[in-house]
Amino acid sequence: MSAEFPMSRRVVAEAFGTLLLVATVVGSGIMADKLTDDTALALLGNTVATGAMLVVLITTLGPISGAHFNPVVSMVFAVRRQLPGSCLAPYIAAQIIGGTAGTVLAHGMFAVPLLQASETVRSGGAQWLSEVTATFGLVFVILSGIRFRADAVAWLVGLYITAAYWFTASTSFANPAVAIARSLTNTFSGIRPADLPGFIIAEIIGALLAAMLAGWLLMEARNPETLTETETAP
């Protein structure tokens, strides 16, 4: 995120990026479902489109807003004081509004009712554990990528989400704004509105756990006036 961009442009970048991300998730799901009856093949199409779009969006919008597109990512950056506290609420609002608009856009492109309540059940311990895991991995990849290979973060996130679609039972939502937006589509990528609280809580837990581990494992620079080193590097 560059300080040269005013708050209004950062918020628009977050809304626009989340809009395109959700339009990709929902739209590619509808397209895949139309083209094949093979669920695995449909998921593969959904996966590739989402991973590719993440690389594009983070590369192009990252210099403006940081390319969070995700309330728990913004929350973690605010907790780490890498995002001003005054930016958190506007970022989250922009992400949710943008995500909802992305669902509407996808529906419009495929000529289906613009807003729908999903009937896809995604609940239970396995789903919640999957979301903790998916979000934990996403946030850790972002933080470690910034620490060691900031130039590669777009690819790291895109590749991680591509993989997480397949190794988690929930297909890796890992994003409350995307989850909310996907509750408004009764198509391939939907989630029942009643199942949102479990997903969002799991995503917050996963993000906070990742932030805690990253703070210790990555041995980030410490302020000697406020923190005391307990270990010395060899």
Side-chain angles (χ1 to χ4, degrees):
M1 180 177 66
S2 174
E4 69 186 70
F5 290 95
M7 184 64 174
S8 59
R9 287 168 174 77
R10 297 179 195 175
V11 168
V12 169
E14 285 297 303
F16 178 55
T18 314
L19 181 154
L20 288 179
L21 174 59
V22 171
T24 301
V25 173
V26 175
S28 65
I30 296 172
M31 175 66 84
D33 202 31
K34 284 178 175 288
L35 294 177
T36 180
D37 293 326
D38 185 328
T39 303
L41 187 57
L43 181 62
L44 180 60
N46 195 208
T47 302
V48 172
T50 303
M53 182 56 79
L54 278 167
V55 174
V56 171
L57 293 175
I58 294 170
T59 300
T60 56
L61 296 176
I64 300 174
S65 68
H68 299 176
F69 316 137
N70 187 332
V72 296
V73 172
S74 297
M75 175 192 72
V76 165
F77 275 86
V79 168
R80 291 163 58 88
R81 298 182 181 178
Q82 294 171 319
L83 178 73
S86 60
C87 293
L88 183 58
Y91 264 47
I92 292 175
Q95 291 154 1
I96 293 172
I97 292 169
T100 301
T103 295
V104 173
L105 175 60
H107 287 173
M109 290 190 290
F110 287 93
V112 300
L114 296 184
L115 289 177
Q116 316 160 12
S118 176
E119 297 175 4
T120 302
V121 177
R122 299 181 189 265
S123 186
Q127 293 281 313
W128 300 330
L129 178 59
S130 293
E131 280 303 290
V132 170
T133 303
T135 312
F136 177 93
L138 173 63
V139 171
F140 187 80
V141 163
I142 291 169
L143 296 179
S144 57
I146 290 171
R147 175 77 164 85
F148 299 119
R149 282 293 305 274
D151 61 320
V153 169
W155 284 98
L156 293 172
V157 171
L159 290 171
Y160 174 80
I161 290 297
T162 298
Y165 256 79
W166 288 86
F167 80 77
T168 63
S170 63
T171 67
S172 183
F173 284 49
N175 185 329
V178 169
I180 291 168
R182 289 172 66 168
S183 74
L184 302 174
T185 181
N186 193 28
T187 62
F188 183 81
S189 61
I191 174 175
R192 210 172 45 163
D195 297 333
L196 281 176
F199 265 53
I200 292 172
I201 291 169
E203 289 156 2
I204 292 171
I205 292 171
L208 292 175
L209 289 174
M212 291 170 61
L213 177 63
W216 174 78
L217 185 62
L218 302 181
M219 293 187 67
E220 295 165 314
R222 292 168 169 79
N223 182 344
E225 295 181 359
T226 59
L227 294 173
T228 302
E229 281 280 11
T230 57
E231 298 178 70
T232 56

